[in-house]
Amino acid sequence: MQSLLDPAILFFALGVFAGLVRSNLEMPAAISKFLSIYLLVALGLKGGFALAASGLTPSVASSLGLAVLLAVVVPLVGYAVLRRVLSGFNAAAVAATYGSVSAVTFVTATQYLESQHIAYGGYMAAAMALMESPAIILAVMLANALRQRQAVAATASTPLLRVQPVVAMASAGGLAIGGGTAATGKPGPHLSVGKILHESFTDGTQLLLLGAMVIGLLTGDAGKAALQPFLGDLFKGMLCLFLLDMGLSTARNLPAVRKQSPWVLAYAVLGPLMHASLALVLAWLLQVPAGDAVLLMVLAASASYIAVPAVVRYAIPEADPSLYVSLSLGVTFPLNILLGIPLYTQVVQQVWMG
């Protein structure tokens, strides 16, 4: 219970309560955007300063390598499970959402670890950045495979009319992601792997995080000392305000959650626990430091509700946005903030100390 009395978590609960009772409390859009920018810059700078201090040690390499492995395994496993209860396109979209990460959940976890006096590597911000894109690329490739199968099936009945989209894609040259005829009858977008990578790494969120990390890496201790007022005392208060806004957003998404099937809701609750368990086992096998192990569990258990939905809406238009947004923001995000982070921390402490 004591773990829930953190000011940041209580502000999140306040936001949810305000939304549920239909209060007129609202965070202005400009302030919400500013808070997002501040948190990303602070997170990136802290990661850069930590990397400058530690260098690329075997421990750092293990944590970062494990992050990449999880970013590939989690969406593939998620798709295999979700395909049993959802259409292929919806399964790919939800798998991408849960295979990627939530920066806000990660920031909240770092603050929780600091409040519990548990050391972690600031370079884990780099791990978060590395886990953003693989799930998106895999999901769009899975969607493309579904479109091709649909095109082949259609060719069997109307070969002259249906073969053209596939030929057009093949004649374009290169490796294409997307294209073909969607289940809705609309052609899906043609996206190259290069374009997906470009969109992922030039997205404002990703670019700001990576750019701040590079600045922190280049400036090192001098930059850390100069920015201490910006990164120190202000950070906790800014996080509280941002989580208040996220609580309001969560409450707004709860009506859409009630419309989802019990099987999908079960995945939104149990899937992250399974992903976190996988991260726990791998971190223990590689002897990752305890603080890093907690953050890997948090990252594996989190779900993107900003970056991935923005890309998936365009790349997989056949999927239902209300499905993957409501699950990530209305179910998984609050569970991780309120219960998941303390639970993962306690589990790691028991295993690592045992």
Side-chain angles (χ1 to χ4, degrees):
M1 184 62 185
Q2 186 64 32
S3 63
L4 296 177
L5 298 181
D6 182 273
I9 294 177
L10 290 176
F11 267 97
F12 174 77
L14 175 61
V16 174
F17 175 77
L20 291 177
V21 299
R22 300 181 181 179
S23 168
N24 62 356
L25 177 63
E26 184 178 0
M27 188 74 69
I31 294 180
S32 180
K33 185 173 183 179
F34 166 75
L35 292 172
S36 300
I37 291 173
Y38 170 83
L39 290 174
L40 287 169
V41 169
L43 184 61
L45 285 171
K46 287 184 176 183
F49 295 148
L51 274 174
S54 67
L56 189 60
T57 64
S59 177
V60 173
S62 295
S63 296
L64 297 183
L66 184 51
V68 174
L69 177 62
L70 288 168
V72 174
V73 172
V74 167
L76 291 177
V77 173
Y79 178 78
V81 173
L82 290 164
R83 192 66 182 87
R84 299 174 180 274
V85 295
L86 292 173
S87 70
F89 295 111
N90 278 331
V94 175
T97 302
Y98 280 80
S100 191
V101 294
S102 164
V104 180
T105 307
F106 177 82
V107 173
T108 306
T110 62
Q111 286 301 292
Y112 180 79
L113 289 177
E114 289 179 9
S115 71
Q116 299 296 309
H117 307 291
I118 299 174
Y120 66 90
Y123 50 80
M124 289 302 294
M128 186 191 76
L130 289 171
M131 293 179 74
E132 184 80 61
S133 300
I136 301 175
I137 296 172
L138 288 170
V140 178
M141 292 178 71
L142 288 169
N144 180 58
L146 289 170
R147 294 189 188 107
Q148 289 188 7
R149 282 200 291 271
Q150 288 181 351
V152 170
T155 300
S157 58
T158 53
L160 294 178
L161 294 177
R162 293 290 185 168
V163 75
Q164 293 176 1
V166 180
V167 173
M169 182 182 68
S171 64
L175 177 59
I177 299 180
T181 302
T184 59
K186 298 179 181 179
H190 288 70
L191 299 174
S192 67
V193 172
K195 182 171 177 59
I196 292 291
L197 289 172
H198 178 269
E199 291 292 331
S200 298
F201 285 102
T202 58
D203 172 74
T205 300
Q206 192 84 332
L207 186 62
L208 192 58
L209 178 66
L210 292 173
M213 193 177 302
V214 171
I215 291 171
L217 181 61
L218 293 176
T219 56
D221 290 339
K224 183 177 182 179
L227 291 173
Q228 180 56 35
F230 179 77
L231 298 176
D233 297 336
L234 284 176
F235 188 83
K236 186 75 172 184
M238 293 289 194
L239 178 61
C240 288
L241 289 175
F242 189 74
L243 284 176
L244 173 66
D245 186 39
M246 289 307 305
L248 292 168
S249 297
T250 297
R252 286 194 293 268
N253 278 272
L254 289 178
V257 172
R258 300 189 189 103
K259 300 176 183 178
Q260 307 303 335
S261 78
W263 292 109
V264 175
L265 291 175
Y267 176 80
V269 174
L270 299 178
L273 294 176
M274 296 300 101
H275 303 160
S277 299
L278 175 62
L280 174 70
V281 171
L282 293 175
W284 182 78
L285 290 174
L286 293 178
Q287 292 299 294
V288 170
D292 292 4
V294 172
L295 293 179
L296 284 170
M297 291 181 71
V298 169
L299 288 170
S302 68
S304 174
Y305 52 84
I306 298 177
V308 171
V311 176
V312 168
R313 284 191 189 197
Y314 171 69
I316 314 179
E318 302 91 341
D320 179 9
S322 67
L323 173 63
Y324 49 85
V325 174
S326 64
L327 290 178
S328 61
L329 189 54
V331 179
T332 303
F333 178 74
L335 283 178
N336 275 327
I337 293 294
L338 297 174
L339 301 175
I341 293 172
L343 173 63
Y344 307 146
T345 304
Q346 291 179 10
V347 170
V348 167
Q349 286 179 315
Q350 291 293 327
V351 173
W352 263 244
M353 292 176 62

